[in-house]
Amino acid sequence: MGRRSRQGMVIRAVGGLAALVALQACGASSGTPVSPVSGSASTASPAPSPSGAGVSASAAASSSAASAPATTTPTASAPSAGASASGTTAGTPECRSADLRVAAGRTNGTAGTFYLPIRFTNAGSHPCEIVGFPGVSYLSAPGGTQVGDAAQRQGPVGSPVVLRPGQTASAIVGMVDVGVLPASSCRPTPVAGLRVYPPDQTASVFVAHAGRGCAGHPGQPQLTVRAVRPGAGTP
């Protein structure tokens, strides 16, 4: 083979190789990118960030709450401050003997029995509450000895009474006319007045009311007492 023919073959081979390289370069620039790991095309979308997911969930919850119908839970009405079932003020302290001015009202009589209101007036500077029966008995003198049996309770206890300063409640005391009782069992005895214990108190007050009581046991109460009620009291 001649020298010229060999040079022609070399030139053609170099030209063909150049054309092949150019063709591969063109395909690489226009083709689908290849994953360096698997060699396959990547089609997955980027995962949303955690903060993005939280915002989306919060927005969805807010939207649901806004569209849901509002519901309310019924609650018990609070009672009026300080009101009790009896209409008195809760927390009002009891009337102590030292808070009260105790005095007798006017006596009214019926056949065989006299009725005397015992009045309890709030002499303090603050309201107090009084309820129930006072303790009542005859005394021979102020600070003297008791004459006969103490008063027997009569009727219901009643409701508490709140006394503001200067206000009065009263309890009616029934006193049997000892003249109608058998003298042998009654043993009539002069008395100077009444020893009165305000309801639920242990300190007594002397109320002057001269008369006669039974030192004995005539077979029936010589004294009866009703529970306190608002006002000055009428038999």
Side-chain angles (χ1 to χ4, degrees):
M1 181 181 297
R3 179 184 179 89
R4 183 172 296 178
S5 297
R6 288 197 297 270
Q7 288 179 343
M9 291 176 64
V10 170
I11 291 171
R12 285 195 296 274
V14 172
L17 180 61
L20 178 62
V21 171
L23 179 62
Q24 289 179 345
C26 180
S29 63
S30 61
T32 303
V34 176
S35 169
V37 176
S38 61
S40 60
S42 174
T43 58
S45 300
S49 67
S51 61
V55 170
S56 299
S58 175
S62 299
S63 176
S64 299
S67 61
T71 59
T72 57
T73 303
T75 57
S77 299
S80 300
S84 71
S86 63
T88 62
T89 303
T92 303
E94 283 188 322
C95 296
R96 302 172 303 165
S97 298
D99 300 326
L100 299 169
R101 183 172 65 251
V102 184
R106 186 179 65 182
T107 303
N108 285 285
T110 61
T113 304
F114 302 98
Y115 294 96
L116 178 70
I118 301 296
R119 295 171 178 167
F120 303 90
T121 302
N122 184 355
S125 57
H126 301 285
C128 64
E129 183 179 85
I130 188 169
V131 59
F133 299 89
V136 181
S137 58
Y138 282 129
L139 284 185
S140 60
T145 59
Q146 180 173 317
V147 176
D149 296 330
Q152 186 176 90
R153 294 177 178 182
Q154 188 177 68
V157 172
S159 299
V161 179
V162 171
L163 297 179
R164 299 186 181 279
Q167 290 185 329
T168 298
S170 59
I172 303 300
V173 174
M175 301 179 294
V176 173
D177 180 1
V178 299
V180 303
L181 299 175
S184 59
S185 58
C186 173
R187 291 166 34 206
T189 303
V191 297
L194 300 168
R195 177 170 58 193
V196 178
Y197 291 93
D200 203 30
Q201 299 300 304
T202 57
S204 64
V205 179
F206 176 77
V207 176
H209 190 79
R212 290 192 304 168
C214 292
H217 303 282
Q220 70 179 75
Q222 65 172 343
L223 294 169
T224 59
V225 62
R226 302 175 194 169
V228 293
R229 296 288 187 272
T234 55

